Amino acid sequence: MTDACIRAVVESIHSSPTQAVLYLSGGASLALGLLMSVPGASNTVLEAVLPYSRMSMIQLLAKIPAKYCSQQTADEMALLAYNRALKLSSPGSPVLGVGFTGSLATTRPKQGDHRFHLSTRTSDRHWASTVTLSKSRSRREGFKLLPTEDECERFFDEDKELEQLINGQICFKVYPFSSDKSNGDRKIILPGSFNPLHDGHLKLLEAATSICGDGYPCFELSAINADKPPLSIPQIKERVMQFEKIGKTVIISNQPYFYKKAELFPGSAFVIGADTAVRLINPKYYDGSYDRMIETLSGCKRTGCTFIVAGRKVDGTFKVLEDFDVPEVLKDMFVPIPAERFRMDISSTEIRRSCGL
């Protein structure tokens, strides 16, 4: 392929809205150089990692692979890259995870074929290919394909993707129903069960967004509950429909705990009520250990996360953030929403009761 053809292909890639994370082992480092050499790479590449040594690969996969150069390893790399791309991308942006492992020409005598395994993962598609090459003296001498080439493709519908989320294969799924433009990479997230979604949720997120000043407002529903069975796929889809009707973005995650949410959405502002805030700073929920509470929330703080706190009823009395003793080391993590900016005492539980549900 001529330099002009390569440039045209790379320019076409950069013109796509898809953002990618690439985990590449072996000879694909040359392809990465070509991808990065054409202006516009920042539109496409969120992150690129070259796990070149065995220990690097082991740390990436968090295990010793059965074979370092195999389709299974490439598939696992692509899935990890896809989950990483979800975390790094703007909400609703199409993302791609790429995994590559190859056994190509080296400076030492080599047994077996020269081959590579390529895998890509998107929200609804997994594509994998194994290619065997003729042996040559160097990686730049124009590999020649042999007849042995294997390719497969699988597609996922919404139910399958949600099943993968519940099982922990993917970390979250975004339903980008909102037409609002993001004012930055930071997410302003209102977590909840949304059973049902009501006007209080909408006004609370609106108030928090006005306080934060910039960011992408969205709701977050965890498919996994700390104290209850996981939501079923029909339950998730039913609740998602509420957001579709009003054109608001919702993220379905598999993490019920805030210290895990902070890992999923680093740098985000989480919108919570005073009832949740008082639990966050209560050592009771950290096996009775004050030090563990400080350590856990300090970990959230290091990710850049903050908590935007609205007044709520606590034990029957309306409370605001200032009514609680937040440890000094954590105070800058907690930002109050003044009661005059937002106050709504009714809860989803009370709405269900009033409707006889």
Side-chain angles (χ1 to χ4, degrees), residues 72-145:
Q72 179 180 343
T73 298
D75 292 347
E76 291 174 358
M77 292 167 73
L79 184 57
L80 287 170
Y82 173 71
N83 277 305
R84 179 69 172 159
L86 283 173
K87 296 176 185 179
L88 296 178
S89 64
S90 302
S93 297
V95 298
L96 170 71
V98 178
F100 174 98
T101 181
S103 179
L104 306 176
T106 66
T107 56
R108 61 184 182 273
K110 181 172 180 57
Q111 298 180 350
D113 294 325
H114 289 163
R115 67 191 187 282
F116 67 79
H117 307 277
L118 179 63
S119 181
T120 64
R121 172 65 201 254
T122 64
S123 63
D124 62 354
R125 179 175 177 262
H126 171 239
W127 177 85
S129 179
T130 294
V131 177
T132 303
L133 308 163
S134 64
K135 290 186 177 181
S136 63
R137 288 171 293 175
S138 77
R139 301 183 185 193
R140 292 182 175 273
E141 288 188 279
F143 287 118
K144 184 178 180 182
L145 296 183

Side-chain angles (χ1 to χ4, degrees), residues 1-71:
M1 185 180 291
T2 66
D3 289 346
C5 289
I6 292 173
R7 185 179 181 88
V9 169
V10 175
E11 287 177 345
S12 177
I13 292 172
H14 292 336
S15 67
S16 165
T18 300
Q19 298 179 299
V21 167
L22 304 97
Y23 290 161
L24 312 173
S25 174
S29 57
L30 295 175
L32 179 60
L34 294 172
L35 190 65
M36 302 297 289
S37 67
V38 176
S42 60
N43 297 331
T44 303
V45 181
L46 294 167
E47 183 176 84
V49 177
L50 299 172
Y52 216 75
S53 69
R54 291 194 175 206
M55 188 54 66
S56 177
M57 181 67 79
I58 290 170
Q59 291 191 18
L60 176 68
L61 300 176
K63 68 176 185 179
I64 299 175
K67 290 184 178 181
Y68 288 85
C69 180
S70 68
Q71 191 62 62

Side-chain angles (χ1 to χ4, degrees), residues 221-240:
L221 169 68
S222 178
I224 308 296
N225 191 293
D227 304 313
K228 301 175 184 178
L231 295 177
S232 66
I233 291 174
Q235 285 175 317
I236 294 172
K237 293 170 73 173
E238 181 179 6
R239 296 188 195 184
V240 165

Side-chain angles (χ1 to χ4, degrees), residues 257-276:
Y257 301 107
F258 274 103
Y259 75 95
K260 287 294 187 181
K261 293 181 192 291
E263 294 175 5
L264 277 185
F265 311 111
S268 295
F270 292 99
V271 187
I272 61 175
D275 53 336
T276 300

Side-chain angles (χ1 to χ4, degrees), residues 163-349:
E163 180 185 324
Q164 292 172 346
L165 185 145
I166 293 170
N167 292 338
Q169 293 173 267
I170 60 175
C171 55
F172 60 84
K173 175 176 172 58
V174 180
Y175 289 87
F177 298 130
S178 175
S179 58
D180 296 338
K181 299 296 182 183
S182 174
N183 295 320
D185 293 334
R186 189 186 198 197
K187 300 178 183 70
I188 304 169
I189 301 174
L190 174 56
S193 59
F194 308 112
N195 184 29
L197 174 68
H198 57 74
D199 194 50
H201 294 131
L202 303 176
K203 290 182 176 178
L204 174 54
L205 185 56
E206 183 180 336
T209 302
S210 69
I211 288 174
C212 289
D214 62 355
Y216 187 97
C218 50
F219 298 87
E220 185 247 342
L221 169 68
S222 178
I224 308 296
N225 191 293
D227 304 313
K228 301 175 184 178
L231 295 177
S232 66
I233 291 174
Q235 285 175 317
I236 294 172
K237 293 170 73 173
E238 181 179 6
R239 296 188 195 184
V240 165
M241 285 178 62
Q242 301 176 107
F243 298 94
E244 184 177 16
K245 290 176 181 176
I246 61 172
K248 298 296 181 181
T249 291
V250 61
I251 300 172
I252 314 301
S253 80
N254 56 17
Q255 293 297 344
Y257 301 107
F258 274 103
Y259 75 95
K260 287 294 187 181
K261 293 181 192 291
E263 294 175 5
L264 277 185
F265 311 111
S268 295
F270 292 99
V271 187
I272 61 175
D275 53 336
T276 300
V278 72
R279 290 195 297 271
L280 280 175
I281 58 174
N282 189 339
K284 169 186 174 182
Y285 298 97
Y286 304 84
D287 296 327
S289 171
Y290 179 88
D291 290 340
R292 183 174 295 179
M293 180 267 289
I294 294 294
E295 179 184 357
T296 300
L297 292 178
S298 294
C300 296
K301 183 177 177 178
R302 285 192 292 272
T303 70
C305 290
T306 57
F307 297 103
I308 314 299
V309 185
R312 286 291 299 272
K313 281 186 177 180
V314 180
D315 298 327
T317 303
F318 186 82
K319 298 284 187 178
V320 294
L321 178 63
E322 290 82 358
D323 292 322
F324 306 109
D325 185 18
V326 179
E328 190 65 34
V329 69
L330 302 174
K331 277 190 175 180
D332 57 347
M333 279 187 73
F334 292 82
V335 179
I337 299 177
E340 61 269 20
R341 297 279 291 272
F342 173 83
R343 176 168 178 171
M344 185 168 288
D345 296 343
I346 193 167
S347 67
S348 296
T349 301

